[in-house]
Amino acid sequence: MSLVSSTPGRAPQPSGSRLPRPVRWGSIYHAVARHGVGTSRLIVYSPVSSEHERFWARSASAFAPMSLSVGLLLWLLLVAIGASPEASAVGIVLVGVSTGAFLWWKARPLRGRVATAWSSRFVLWPHRDDEDREEMITTLSLLMERATQDLRHGRITRSVYDRVWMAVYEETHALSPGRDK
């Protein structure tokens, strides 16, 4: 792949219309429950982790909801075509549990190096500390999203991106629930 030179301080852009794949730095989750409880959760993978480790961590975290949905649909399909409901359920559970155990084992190298910060608040009765914490979580996630887009479009170099990622990782680690006082 040929690279097109860019201005000094900017990363070289690959020629062609396709942008490089984004770096999987972590995730942000916002939800409001039926009873007015707002929850925000920021997960930032360690910047020194490999793409391979992050792949297994993402796969393990997405496995439970996906396996429940696919397992139920598969069970309904097997019962509809005439298979024994009990045997189908046992087979699906065995495959699901063994696959989950495998993914859990593969994700273990990264498990201790993930920074997680969360905030829960009652939306109808705001508390300033909770709002500040949620605002900080949102700001950190927006910073990483912006840095990822800037890296993909060649506006920053990989070393600048890695410094931003490390700063967000450390800040998220400082916000971790075990560190609140």
mmCIF file of all heavy atoms in Angstrom, residues 161-179:
data_model
loop_
_atom_site.group_PDB
_atom_site.id
_atom_site.type_symbol
_atom_site.label_atom_id
_atom_site.label_comp_id
_atom_site.label_asym_id
_atom_site.label_seq_id
_atom_site.Cartn_x
_atom_site.Cartn_y
_atom_site.Cartn_z
ATOM 1 N N TYR A 161 -1.741 9.629 19.751
ATOM 2 C CA TYR A 161 -2.913 8.855 20.125
ATOM 3 C C TYR A 161 -2.624 7.990 21.349
ATOM 4 O O TYR A 161 -3.439 7.920 22.282
ATOM 5 C CB TYR A 161 -3.361 7.969 18.953
ATOM 6 C CG TYR A 161 -4.549 7.117 19.272
ATOM 7 C CD1 TYR A 161 -5.833 7.650 19.234
ATOM 8 C CD2 TYR A 161 -4.407 5.783 19.614
ATOM 9 C CE1 TYR A 161 -6.935 6.880 19.533
ATOM 10 C CE2 TYR A 161 -5.502 5.003 19.919
ATOM 11 C CZ TYR A 161 -6.762 5.549 19.865
ATOM 12 O OH TYR A 161 -7.853 4.787 20.171
ATOM 13 N N ASP A 162 -1.470 7.349 21.387
ATOM 14 C CA ASP A 162 -1.118 6.503 22.521
ATOM 15 C C ASP A 162 -0.986 7.315 23.810
ATOM 16 O O ASP A 162 -1.364 6.843 24.885
ATOM 17 C CB ASP A 162 0.178 5.740 22.240
ATOM 18 C CG ASP A 162 -0.016 4.627 21.219
ATOM 19 O OD1 ASP A 162 -1.182 4.208 21.007
ATOM 20 O OD2 ASP A 162 0.989 4.181 20.629
ATOM 21 N N ARG A 163 -0.480 8.542 23.713
ATOM 22 C CA ARG A 163 -0.383 9.393 24.903
ATOM 23 C C ARG A 163 -1.773 9.791 25.406
ATOM 24 O O ARG A 163 -2.024 9.813 26.612
ATOM 25 C CB ARG A 163 0.461 10.627 24.602
ATOM 26 C CG ARG A 163 1.942 10.314 24.497
ATOM 27 C CD ARG A 163 2.806 11.550 24.564
ATOM 28 N NE ARG A 163 2.461 12.588 23.607
ATOM 29 C CZ ARG A 163 3.033 12.755 22.426
ATOM 30 N NH1 ARG A 163 3.988 11.944 22.038
ATOM 31 N NH2 ARG A 163 2.670 13.749 21.639
ATOM 32 N N VAL A 164 -2.683 10.110 24.477
ATOM 33 C CA VAL A 164 -4.058 10.440 24.867
ATOM 34 C C VAL A 164 -4.708 9.227 25.525
ATOM 35 O O VAL A 164 -5.352 9.341 26.578
ATOM 36 C CB VAL A 164 -4.885 10.905 23.644
ATOM 37 C CG1 VAL A 164 -6.364 11.002 23.978
ATOM 38 C CG2 VAL A 164 -4.369 12.224 23.112
ATOM 39 N N TRP A 165 -4.534 8.049 24.924
ATOM 40 C CA TRP A 165 -5.106 6.809 25.458
ATOM 41 C C TRP A 165 -4.583 6.537 26.867
ATOM 42 O O TRP A 165 -5.343 6.187 27.768
ATOM 43 C CB TRP A 165 -4.768 5.670 24.519
ATOM 44 C CG TRP A 165 -5.455 4.374 24.772
ATOM 45 C CD1 TRP A 165 -6.297 4.054 25.808
ATOM 46 C CD2 TRP A 165 -5.370 3.202 23.973
ATOM 47 N NE1 TRP A 165 -6.721 2.755 25.697
ATOM 48 C CE2 TRP A 165 -6.169 2.208 24.575
ATOM 49 C CE3 TRP A 165 -4.689 2.893 22.814
ATOM 50 C CZ2 TRP A 165 -6.292 0.937 24.044
ATOM 51 C CZ3 TRP A 165 -4.822 1.626 22.278
ATOM 52 C CH2 TRP A 165 -5.624 0.668 22.893
ATOM 53 N N MET A 166 -3.271 6.711 27.063
ATOM 54 C CA MET A 166 -2.694 6.464 28.390
ATOM 55 C C MET A 166 -3.248 7.451 29.414
ATOM 56 O O MET A 166 -3.563 7.065 30.544
ATOM 57 C CB MET A 166 -1.163 6.564 28.336
ATOM 58 C CG MET A 166 -0.498 6.281 29.669
ATOM 59 S SD MET A 166 -0.871 4.646 30.357
ATOM 60 C CE MET A 166 0.251 3.627 29.439
ATOM 61 N N ALA A 167 -3.405 8.708 29.024
ATOM 62 C CA ALA A 167 -3.955 9.710 29.950
ATOM 63 C C ALA A 167 -5.404 9.375 30.312
ATOM 64 O O ALA A 167 -5.793 9.463 31.486
ATOM 65 C CB ALA A 167 -3.877 11.101 29.318
ATOM 66 N N VAL A 168 -6.206 8.968 29.337
ATOM 67 C CA VAL A 168 -7.598 8.602 29.605
ATOM 68 C C VAL A 168 -7.653 7.340 30.456
ATOM 69 O O VAL A 168 -8.464 7.232 31.383
ATOM 70 C CB VAL A 168 -8.387 8.431 28.283
ATOM 71 C CG1 VAL A 168 -9.739 7.789 28.521
ATOM 72 C CG2 VAL A 168 -8.551 9.773 27.595
ATOM 73 N N TYR A 169 -6.779 6.384 30.181
ATOM 74 C CA TYR A 169 -6.723 5.149 30.971
ATOM 75 C C TYR A 169 -6.400 5.468 32.433
ATOM 76 O O TYR A 169 -7.063 4.967 33.347
ATOM 77 C CB TYR A 169 -5.678 4.218 30.370
ATOM 78 C CG TYR A 169 -5.451 2.942 31.152
ATOM 79 C CD1 TYR A 169 -6.362 1.896 31.083
ATOM 80 C CD2 TYR A 169 -4.328 2.780 31.949
ATOM 81 C CE1 TYR A 169 -6.164 0.720 31.790
ATOM 82 C CE2 TYR A 169 -4.121 1.618 32.657
ATOM 83 C CZ TYR A 169 -5.028 0.582 32.572
ATOM 84 O OH TYR A 169 -4.835 -0.565 33.276
ATOM 85 N N GLU A 170 -5.395 6.309 32.667
ATOM 86 C CA GLU A 170 -5.015 6.657 34.033
ATOM 87 C C GLU A 170 -6.120 7.439 34.740
ATOM 88 O O GLU A 170 -6.385 7.227 35.919
ATOM 89 C CB GLU A 170 -3.709 7.445 34.027
ATOM 90 C CG GLU A 170 -2.511 6.596 33.654
ATOM 91 C CD GLU A 170 -1.243 7.401 33.434
ATOM 92 O OE1 GLU A 170 -1.317 8.648 33.409
ATOM 93 O OE2 GLU A 170 -0.183 6.777 33.276
ATOM 94 N N GLU A 171 -6.759 8.347 34.020
ATOM 95 C CA GLU A 171 -7.843 9.134 34.612
ATOM 96 C C GLU A 171 -9.039 8.238 34.946
ATOM 97 O O GLU A 171 -9.673 8.394 35.994
ATOM 98 C CB GLU A 171 -8.255 10.238 33.631
ATOM 99 C CG GLU A 171 -9.003 11.372 34.221
ATOM 100 C CD GLU A 171 -8.246 12.145 35.278
ATOM 101 O OE1 GLU A 171 -7.034 12.350 35.160
ATOM 102 O OE2 GLU A 171 -8.895 12.541 36.256
ATOM 103 N N THR A 172 -9.348 7.301 34.064
ATOM 104 C CA THR A 172 -10.444 6.349 34.329
ATOM 105 C C THR A 172 -10.099 5.451 35.501
ATOM 106 O O THR A 172 -10.959 5.163 36.342
ATOM 107 C CB THR A 172 -10.732 5.496 33.071
ATOM 108 O OG1 THR A 172 -11.011 6.370 31.975
ATOM 109 C CG2 THR A 172 -11.913 4.583 33.288
ATOM 110 N N HIS A 173 -8.839 5.034 35.570
ATOM 111 C CA HIS A 173 -8.409 4.210 36.702
ATOM 112 C C HIS A 173 -8.554 4.991 38.010
ATOM 113 O O HIS A 173 -8.937 4.430 39.046
ATOM 114 C CB HIS A 173 -6.971 3.769 36.496
ATOM 115 C CG HIS A 173 -6.598 2.533 37.230
ATOM 116 N ND1 HIS A 173 -7.386 1.919 38.156
ATOM 117 C CD2 HIS A 173 -5.476 1.773 37.174
ATOM 118 C CE1 HIS A 173 -6.804 0.867 38.636
ATOM 119 N NE2 HIS A 173 -5.644 0.755 38.063
ATOM 120 N N ALA A 174 -8.262 6.291 37.983
ATOM 121 C CA ALA A 174 -8.419 7.118 39.178
ATOM 122 C C ALA A 174 -9.885 7.257 39.588
ATOM 123 O O ALA A 174 -10.189 7.460 40.754
ATOM 124 C CB ALA A 174 -7.802 8.493 38.934
ATOM 125 N N LEU A 175 -10.795 7.158 38.614
ATOM 126 C CA LEU A 175 -12.233 7.246 38.894
ATOM 127 C C LEU A 175 -12.844 5.913 39.311
ATOM 128 O O LEU A 175 -14.036 5.846 39.611
ATOM 129 C CB LEU A 175 -12.996 7.739 37.662
ATOM 130 C CG LEU A 175 -12.851 9.205 37.289
ATOM 131 C CD1 LEU A 175 -13.517 9.459 35.929
ATOM 132 C CD2 LEU A 175 -13.453 10.079 38.346
ATOM 133 N N SER A 176 -12.056 4.840 39.305
ATOM 134 C CA SER A 176 -12.572 3.508 39.619
ATOM 135 C C SER A 176 -13.261 3.494 40.966
ATOM 136 O O SER A 176 -12.838 4.188 41.886
ATOM 137 C CB SER A 176 -11.434 2.483 39.604
ATOM 138 O OG SER A 176 -10.915 2.357 38.312
ATOM 139 N N PRO A 177 -14.317 2.672 41.107
ATOM 140 C CA PRO A 177 -15.072 2.649 42.363
ATOM 141 C C PRO A 177 -14.231 2.353 43.594
ATOM 142 O O PRO A 177 -14.487 2.874 44.649
ATOM 143 C CB PRO A 177 -16.106 1.543 42.130
ATOM 144 C CG PRO A 177 -16.223 1.433 40.659
ATOM 145 C CD PRO A 177 -14.893 1.814 40.102
ATOM 146 N N GLY A 178 -13.211 1.541 43.489
ATOM 147 C CA GLY A 178 -12.374 1.208 44.633
ATOM 148 C C GLY A 178 -11.520 2.362 45.103
ATOM 149 O O GLY A 178 -10.950 2.328 46.175
ATOM 150 N N ARG A 179 -11.433 3.407 44.298
ATOM 151 C CA ARG A 179 -10.570 4.544 44.628
ATOM 152 C C ARG A 179 -11.366 5.726 45.156
ATOM 153 O O ARG A 179 -10.811 6.761 45.435
ATOM 154 C CB ARG A 179 -9.785 4.960 43.411
ATOM 155 C CG ARG A 179 -8.920 3.821 42.932
ATOM 156 C CD ARG A 179 -7.891 4.310 42.010
ATOM 157 N NE ARG A 179 -7.081 3.181 41.647
ATOM 158 C CZ ARG A 179 -5.784 3.196 41.671
ATOM 159 N NH1 ARG A 179 -5.153 4.267 42.035
ATOM 160 N NH2 ARG A 179 -5.096 2.149 41.324
#
